[in-house]
Amino acid sequence: MSLNHRYYVTTVADEGENSFKMPRASVVHMTSTATRPQHMSQVLATLALSMGTLSSGLAKGYTSPALDSILDNQPPHLYQSSNNDTWSAFSVTQQEASWVASLSMLGAWFGAMIGDWVMRRGRRLALRVTSLPLAVVWILTGIAPCVELVYVTSFIGGLCCSVITMVAQVYISEISMPGIRGCLSAMLKVLGHVGVLLSYIAGTYLNWRQSALLVAIAPSMLFLGTLFIPETPSYLVLNGKDDEAATSLQWLRGDHVDIRHELQVIKTNILASRAKQYELTFKNSVFTPRLYKPIAITCGLMFFQRFSGANAFNYYAVIIFRQTLGGMNPHGATIAIGFVQLLASLLSGFLIDIVGRLPLLIASTVFMSLALAGFGSYAYYMSQTQNLGYAPDSAVVGQHDWIPLLCVLVFTTALALGISPISWLLIGELFPLEYRGLGSSISTSFSYFCAFVGIKLFMDFQQTLGLHGAFWFYAAVAVCGLCFVVCCVPETKGKQLDEMNPDYAQAR
C-alpha cells in the first residue's frame, strides 16, 4: 500500500530587526489521492509510553492508603520479614507523614524545571534515564529501614514522574497523525487515572511496603518499552539526523507508505520555528503581554486548583475518611473517589469542546465551593458531638456516612470535569508557539510548587483550624477561584491557536 500526497508550502516573510527578512509562518496545504498511513505502530508506541503515565497515577494514588498504613498500628508481620532484620518496623509522626506526601511534589517541581533540558538530549533517552531509576526508587521504598530513606525516594520518585509525564506528552504530539493525536493523548490521561484507582484498590489489601513493590512493575515495563520504540522524527530533524528521522517516520507510518513529503514538511516547519525564535530577545520575551498575561492566567488557575482541597483528598483521603465516616470502610470510600474520577475524566474530554472552557470552569468552582463547605460543616458537626461526649447508639453508627461521601464525590466530579483538565489545556492554548516552551515550564513548575506547599500544610491546617476549619478555608479559596475565572479567564473554544493570544492581548 502506498500513499501519494501533494504538499504546497507557503512561507510568509516578516521583517525583523535591521530589516532582515525572516520566515514568519508556514502554511501547508495537503491533498490526498490514496489511503491513509497505518496507525498500528503509533498505537503500539503509545501503549509503551502509557506505562509512564500509569506509573505517575500509581504514585499519586499510592500515598493516601500508604500514609494510613504507616500511621496505623498494624500487626508486625505486615512490616517484618521472617528474619526480623530486613523489613524492620518504624513509626512516624503526622508531620513526618506530611513530608512523605509532599516531598514527591517538591521533586516534581525540580523535574519540571529540568524537564526541557533533559528532553533536549532526546525524548527516548529521557524516558530511559528516568524510568529505570523510578523502578529502583519504588523497590527501595518497599524495603526502607527508616523514614529518612522514604523521604529521599519520595523526592526522586516525584522528579522522575514529572519528567516522564512531560516527555510522554511531547513524544505523542511529535509521532502521531493529526486524526488520532487526540485519541492517543487521551489514552495517556485515562491510564493515569486508572493508575490512581489501582493504587487505591491495592492499598485496601496490601500494606505500604507491598504496594510500593507492586508499583515498581509499571516503570520497569516502561523501560522495556523504550527499547523497541524509535526516537521522534521531529527531534532527529532538529538535530540534523535526517536519515534516522526518515527511518523513524517510516516505522511510525508503515513500511509501504511514502514519507518523503511529510518529512519535508517537518523540516520546513522546524526551520520556520527556528527563524521565529532567532528574533526573540530576553527583553521582548519577558515584557510582552503575549507571555506574561497567559502566565498570570495559567498560574492563577493552578494556584486555586492546588489550594482548594484537591491535594487533601488525593493524598490524605483514607485518613480524612477515618475521621468522618462511622460505619463505612474508608478504603472503600477512597476507591469510590478513584472510580468517579476516572469516569469524570472520560466525560470531560467530550464536554470541554461541546460546552466550552469558561462555562465548565464556572460550574466546576461553584460545585467545588458548595461541596467543600458541606464537608466542612459535617466535620464540624462530628467534632461538636464528640466534644459534648455524645455517644451514638450502635444501631445508628454510620447512618449519615452518605453526607460526607456525597460531598467528596461532588467535589471530585466538579474538579475532574472543570478546573483540573482545563488548567492544563489552557497552557497549550494560551501561549503562542515561540513562547510555549518557556511559558509551559513556568506554569508547570508553579503548579508543582503549589502542590508541595498545599500537601505539606494540610496537617498544619488540620491541627490549627481543625478538619472543619481546613475545609472551610478550601471552600473560601474555591470562591476566590470563581471570581478569578469570571474576571480573568478568556473563552478559547473554537479558536485557532494562532489567533488566541492576539485576540486576548487586545481584549485585555
Side-chain angles (χ1 to χ4, degrees):
M1 178 181 62
S2 61
L3 192 66
N4 296 320
H5 288 313
R6 290 185 179 181
Y7 291 84
Y8 303 92
V9 183
T10 303
T11 302
V12 183
D14 187 15
E15 191 171 283
E17 297 180 1
N18 301 323
S19 300
F20 185 73
K21 298 287 184 178
M22 304 295 288
R24 184 183 64 196
S26 296
V27 182
V28 181
H29 309 276
M30 181 182 71
T31 60
S32 178
T33 58
T35 58
R36 290 181 292 180
Q38 300 174 3
H39 295 156
M40 183 56 66
S41 297
Q42 300 167 61
V43 173
L44 291 176
T46 303
L47 288 175
L49 264 69
S50 66
M51 293 297 101
T53 53
L54 179 66
S55 301
S56 299
L58 289 170
K60 183 179 179 181
Y62 167 83
T63 306
S64 177
L67 289 183
D68 180 71
S69 177
I70 293 175
L71 292 170
D72 192 21
N73 293 321
Q74 298 194 17
H77 71 272
L78 293 178
Y79 293 87
Q80 296 177 340
S81 67
S82 57
N83 297 329
N84 290 327
D85 59 357
T86 304
W87 289 5
S88 58
F90 59 86
S91 60
V92 298
T93 65
Q94 287 192 342
Q95 283 297 321
E96 290 173 333
S98 68
W99 279 112
V100 171
S102 60
L103 279 173
S104 62
M105 287 295 103
L106 186 62
W109 178 40
F110 280 93
M113 290 190 291
I114 69 171
D116 182 65
W117 179 84
V118 175
M119 277 196 294
R120 291 178 184 274
R121 272 63 189 169
R123 282 59 162 147
R124 186 176 59 175
L125 178 62
L127 292 170
R128 289 178 179 175
V129 300
T130 51
S131 58
L132 196 58
L134 182 59
V136 174
V137 157
W138 282 112
I139 295 175
L140 291 177
T141 301
I143 62 175
C146 60
V147 70
E148 288 77 14
L149 181 57
V150 179
Y151 289 162
V152 175
T153 58
S154 179
F155 178 86
I156 298 176
L159 187 152
C160 292
C161 285
S162 174
V163 174
I164 288 173
T165 302
M166 188 184 309
V167 175
Q169 291 290 347
V170 172
Y171 188 97
I172 293 301
S173 66
E174 291 183 347
I175 70 164
S176 56
M177 296 290 294
I180 63 171
R181 184 175 299 140
C183 179
L184 297 183
S185 298
M187 187 186 302
L188 296 181
K189 178 181 177 182
V190 170
L191 262 293
H193 290 293
V194 170
V196 174
L197 180 59
L198 290 178
S199 278
Y200 286 163
I201 296 174
T204 305
Y205 304 99
L206 305 176
N207 65 55
W208 62 278
R209 294 186 182 275
Q210 296 164 338
S211 296
L213 296 176
L214 185 65
V215 173
I217 297 175
S220 302
M221 295 177 64
L222 172 63
F223 177 79
L224 294 176
T226 59
L227 300 178
F228 300 97
I229 60 176
E231 183 57 86
T232 68
S234 298
Y235 172 81
L236 295 171
V237 170
L238 187 64
N239 288 270
K241 302 178 180 180
D242 293 353
D243 292 339
E244 295 181 34
T247 303
S248 173
L249 191 60
Q250 193 74 67
W251 185 88
L252 292 166
R253 300 295 181 259
D255 294 335
H256 304 290
V257 175
D258 186 359
I259 50 91
R260 289 175 295 178
H261 297 297
E262 184 177 357
L263 186 62
Q264 185 59 45
V265 171
I266 294 175
K267 295 178 182 178
T268 303
N269 290 341
I270 288 178
L271 289 175
S273 177
R274 275 180 171 176
K276 188 64 179 177
Q277 291 177 355
Y278 289 153
E279 298 178 10
L280 301 178
T281 64
F282 177 80
K283 182 178 180 180
N284 63 25
S285 295
V286 174
F287 296 104
T288 176
R290 287 167 59 82
L291 177 61
Y292 68 74
K293 286 190 175 182
I295 285 179
I297 293 174
T298 54
C299 287
L301 287 175
M302 292 298 182
F303 174 85
F304 290 112
Q305 175 192 348
R306 297 299 191 179
F307 284 98
S308 60
N311 294 312
F313 286 123
N314 284 331
Y315 289 85
Y316 300 100
V318 178
I319 296 175
I320 292 172
F321 281 135
R322 283 200 184 278
Q323 302 177 57
T324 54
L325 299 180
M328 184 181 297
N329 186 339
H331 287 282
T334 305
I335 293 174
I337 291 178
F339 186 72
V340 169
Q341 190 176 41
L342 174 60
L343 294 181
S345 67
L346 294 174
L347 184 60
S348 68
F350 298 98
L351 292 181
I352 286 176
D353 288 326
I354 296 175
V355 178
R357 283 69 162 154
L358 198 55
L360 279 180
L361 282 173
I362 294 174
S364 174
T365 49
V366 167
F367 281 101
M368 285 168 57
S369 305
L370 295 175
L372 290 168
F375 188 88
S377 300
Y378 183 84
Y380 178 75
Y381 164 77
M382 293 292 294
S383 65
Q384 290 301 306
T385 56
Q386 293 174 2
N387 292 337
L388 294 175
Y390 173 71
D393 184 36
S394 58
V396 298
V397 171
Q399 185 177 1
H400 302 295
D401 283 354
W402 64 271
I403 298 177
L405 181 60
L406 178 63
C407 291
V408 176
L409 293 180
V410 169
F411 172 83
T412 301
T413 304
L415 180 73
L417 287 177
I419 193 171
S420 179
I422 293 175
S423 58
W424 292 101
L425 176 64
L426 289 180
I427 290 180
E429 291 186 336
L430 289 178
F431 289 105
L433 179 61
E434 63 269 24
Y435 301 112
R436 193 164 297 156
L438 175 62
S440 61
S441 178
I442 293 174
S443 300
T444 303
S445 300
F446 181 79
S447 174
Y448 285 130
F449 180 76
C450 289
F452 162 69
V453 176
I455 296 170
K456 181 64 186 74
L457 292 181
F458 172 75
M459 289 293 189
D460 300 279
F461 285 160
Q462 183 178 350
Q463 293 174 358
T464 304
L465 306 175
L467 185 63
H468 60 279
F471 281 94
W472 282 343
F473 169 77
Y474 292 145
V477 173
V479 171
C480 295
L482 173 62
C483 298
F484 177 82
V485 167
V486 173
C487 297
C488 303
V489 179
E491 176 59 79
T492 59
K493 175 189 174 184
K495 295 184 179 180
Q496 297 296 325
L497 291 179
D498 291 337
E499 68 183 356
M500 284 180 189
N501 280 277
D503 289 349
Y504 171 75
Q506 294 171 7
R508 301 291 172 177

